[in-house]
């Protein structure tokens, strides 16, 4: 059983070009991971995900625990077989979704008690059960069970919650089955406090993980504050381990995160925005429902070489969206995910050739909206 490892191949300033070796294949970093909440990246065939360059996707403990149930997925051969995706899958541990989706919930030392947002049934997630669920799903990268601290929060709450997440992290390490080749990542908390972030990193390093995520960001804080927390936290993490910032972000966030030494990202933005008709381009976002696209025969982005931009006009995509056609979500998602993957591929190349700062300057200069 090949175990998990990370190669640091190039550095350009604090930007890093690396390679993850997982039990289900290699992942070139920096990488953007499309979100597949309910065992599907919405509106995308797995074959199309591969065509646009997706190397690894996310799934979620919270959703799959509730439906169809992790034991059912295990009995059906695991998540990869279930959804016909033979590349790596990273699973989040469920805590974040309990807070952002679940109804009534109660958090204590044991874990989180909550009611299903589907049928109100009572459930409990603990560090031990979250790990067991992710193992049952067949996850290749398992996330520690943590509390994503809301923002804003009192310093006292941040300190207490972060200390509890550190205790939970130790329980996750203990709960992991030995050597099944899947990796376990710790998640740094600490809110927006430099000393509490440093304490959280120290706690996790003492336990030891194959990779380290920075949690508690993209929770309503400004981009500047998010970057400041990255500036404090990245240098404290081991240089030879992958760093993953959870729930981030816009194309600009990805460029600024890579510049600060982040290797892995996930965000629902490209897929969710696509279904709402918001499309990403090299010159900024456009909302395809606008009347100005009624007779516009040009592609979404003249600089994009994706299947959608090669075959369909803005006028047609606007028509599909206005008509609430299923193909609208399919084509918009295909283009947005292709844009995100291309952005990451360009950053990987730029770091390799030592031209990341030039890439960043050109990326920022192009951000305007066409008249
Ligand atoms: C959007 N902002 C944000 N997301 C965060 C997430 C979720 C990341 N995305 C998970 C996918 C979405 C559904 C299926 C899996 C966070 N997750 C954890 N465990 N901890 C965080 O601090 C944490 C923090 C986060 N901030
Ligand atoms: Zn395109």
């Amino acid at each position: 059983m090949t175990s998990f490892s990370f190669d640091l191949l190039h550095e350009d300033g604090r930007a890093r070009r690396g390679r993850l070796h997982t039990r289900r294949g290699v992942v070139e970093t920096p990488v953007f991971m499309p979100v597949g909440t309910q065992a599907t990246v919405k509106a995308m065939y797995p074959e199309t995900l591969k065509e646009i360059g997706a190397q690894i996707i996310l799934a979620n403990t919270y959703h799959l625990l509730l439906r169809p149930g992790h034991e059912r997925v295990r009995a059906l051969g695991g998540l990869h077989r279930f959804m016909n995706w033979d590349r790596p899958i990273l699973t989040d541990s469920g805590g974040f979704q309990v807070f952002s989706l679940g109804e009534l919930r109660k958090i204590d030392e044991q874990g989180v008690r909550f009611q299903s947002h589907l049928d109100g049934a009572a459930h409990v997630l603990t560090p031990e059960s979250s790990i067991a669920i992710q193992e049952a799903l067949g996850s290749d990268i398992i996330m520690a069970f943590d509390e994503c601290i809301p923002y804003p929060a009192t310093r006292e709450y941040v300190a207490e919650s972060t200390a509890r997440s550190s205790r939970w992290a130790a329980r996750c390490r203990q709960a992991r089955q030995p050597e099944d080749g899947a990796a376990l990542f710790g998640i740094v908390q600490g809110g927006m406090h430099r000393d509490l972030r440093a304490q959280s990193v120290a706690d996790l390093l003492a336990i030891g993980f194959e990779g380290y995520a920075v949690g508690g960001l993209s929770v309503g804080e400004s981009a500047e504050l998010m970057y400041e927390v990255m500036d404090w936290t990245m240098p404290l993490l081991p240089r030879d381990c992958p760093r993953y910032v959870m729930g981030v972000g816009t194309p600009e966030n990805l460029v600024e995160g890579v510049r600060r030494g982040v290797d892995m990202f996930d965000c629902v933005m490209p897929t969710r925005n696509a279904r709402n008709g918001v499309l990403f381009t090299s010159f900024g976002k456009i909302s395809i429902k606008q009347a100005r696209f009624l007779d516009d025969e040009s592609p979404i982005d003249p600089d994009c070489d994706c299947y959608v931009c090669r075959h369909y006009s803005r006028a047609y995509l606007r028509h599909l969206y206005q008509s609430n056609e299923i193909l609208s979500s399919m084509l918009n998602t295909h283009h947005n995910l292709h844009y995100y993957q291309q952005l990451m591929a360009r950053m990987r190349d730029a770091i390799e050739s030592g031209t990341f700062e030039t890439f960043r300057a050109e990326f920022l200069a192009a951000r305007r909206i066409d008249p």
Side-chain angles (χ1 to χ4, degrees):
M1 179 64 74
T2 58
S3 60
F4 181 90
S5 67
F6 176 71
D7 302 333
L8 181 57
L9 303 173
H10 300 274
E11 292 180 282
D12 183 353
R14 289 164 57 191
R16 296 144 50 95
R17 168 76 170 85
R19 183 168 293 144
L20 295 180
H21 296 271
T22 80
R23 66 180 182 178
R24 277 194 178 81
V26 171
V27 175
E28 305 297 336
T29 66
V31 62
F32 176 79
M33 305 181 284
V35 168
T37 304
Q38 303 192 98
T40 160
V41 175
K42 294 182 181 355
M44 293 290 283
Y45 282 108
E47 289 75 10
T48 312
L49 278 173
K50 290 183 179 176
E51 181 190 320
I52 57 111
Q55 305 177 77
I56 175 172
I57 62 170
L58 258 75
N60 192 271
T61 296
Y62 172 82
H63 296 86
L64 295 170
L65 158 71
L66 298 181
R67 185 176 57 189
H70 60 290
E71 288 305 342
R72 174 163 290 115
V73 173
R74 187 212 307 264
L76 290 166
L79 200 47
H80 293 80
R81 181 179 173 80
F82 190 49
M83 66 182 290
N84 182 35
W85 176 257
D86 61 0
R87 294 182 176 182
I89 295 176
L90 183 150
T91 46
D92 197 6
S93 45
F96 180 78
Q97 284 70 34
V98 168
F99 285 94
S100 53
L101 273 176
E103 295 306 310
L104 301 172
R105 61 198 179 259
K106 185 181 174 316
I107 187 167
D108 61 23
E109 189 63 28
Q110 266 316 302
V112 184
R113 295 167 211 297
F114 62 95
Q115 286 183 280
S116 162
H117 70 287
L118 298 175
D119 61 7
H123 291 268
V124 180
L125 261 181
T126 66
E128 292 77 13
S129 67
S130 174
I131 296 299
I133 291 163
Q134 296 179 73
E135 289 172 343
L137 296 172
S139 174
D140 301 300
I141 300 178
I142 294 170
M143 299 308 293
F145 185 71
D146 65 329
E147 178 186 7
C148 173
I149 300 168
Y151 177 78
T154 65
R155 179 186 162 86
E156 182 188 14
Y157 188 83
V158 173
E160 285 172 12
S161 170
T162 299
R164 180 169 54 200
S165 286
S166 292
R167 295 193 294 273
W168 285 355
R171 286 166 54 187
C172 289
R173 180 88 270 173
Q174 290 308 313
R176 272 284 290 135
Q177 296 306 323
E179 279 322 292
D180 59 2
L184 178 63
F185 279 23
I187 305 177
V188 178
Q189 293 295 341
M192 311 302 166
H193 303 274
R194 184 167 193 166
D195 58 335
L196 299 180
R197 284 278 173 184
Q199 183 60 56
S200 178
V201 171
D203 294 346
L204 297 181
L205 292 181
I207 298 164
F209 291 93
E210 285 79 25
Y212 295 86
V214 178
L217 290 180
S218 190
V219 288
E221 79 283 5
S222 67
E224 289 66 31
L225 183 49
M226 174 166 68
Y227 302 149
E228 198 178 349
V229 173
M230 290 181 186
D231 286 335
W232 299 336
T233 310
M234 289 302 144
L236 305 178
L237 296 174
R239 189 165 162 270
D240 59 350
C241 288
R243 298 95 171 255
Y244 163 25
V245 174
M246 306 186 82
V248 172
T250 65
E252 290 82 357
N253 296 158
L254 297 183
V255 173
E256 295 307 309
V258 168
R259 190 178 193 225
R260 289 165 171 79
V262 180
D263 306 305
M264 301 163 72
F265 303 87
D266 90 276
C267 191
V268 297
M269 200 167 274
T271 40
R272 185 174 295 169
N273 279 19
R275 298 193 301 279
N276 296 327
V278 174
L279 302 172
F280 291 93
T281 74
S282 46
F283 44 86
K285 288 189 294 190
I286 60 174
S287 178
I288 199 65
K289 58 191 162 195
Q290 289 178 347
R292 66 191 180 109
F293 299 123
L294 256 171
D295 303 306
D296 188 340
E297 292 185 76
S298 63
I300 298 168
D301 184 346
D303 294 340
C304 182
D305 66 348
C306 86
Y307 161 76
V308 180
C309 290
R310 281 186 279 111
H311 295 283
Y312 303 96
S313 67
R314 290 169 175 184
Y316 180 66
L317 294 172
R318 180 184 181 285
H319 162 69
L320 291 182
Y321 184 82
Q322 293 298 100
S323 314
N324 200 22
E325 279 292 343
I326 293 168
L327 189 62
S328 173
S329 291
M330 295 164 70
L331 296 180
N332 290 357
T333 303
H334 183 131
H335 166 78
N336 277 359
L337 285 178
H338 177 275
Y339 175 78
Y340 266 63
Q341 294 300 327
Q342 279 281 23
L343 176 62
M344 302 313 289
R346 287 179 180 148
M347 287 200 276
R348 292 194 291 265
D349 292 347
I351 297 167
E352 278 176 29
S353 56
T355 60
F356 180 80
E357 286 303 317
T358 305
F359 170 83
R360 173 176 178 268
E362 288 167 357
F363 169 85
L364 294 173
R367 310 304 280 168
R368 74 199 183 290
I369 287 296
D370 259 353

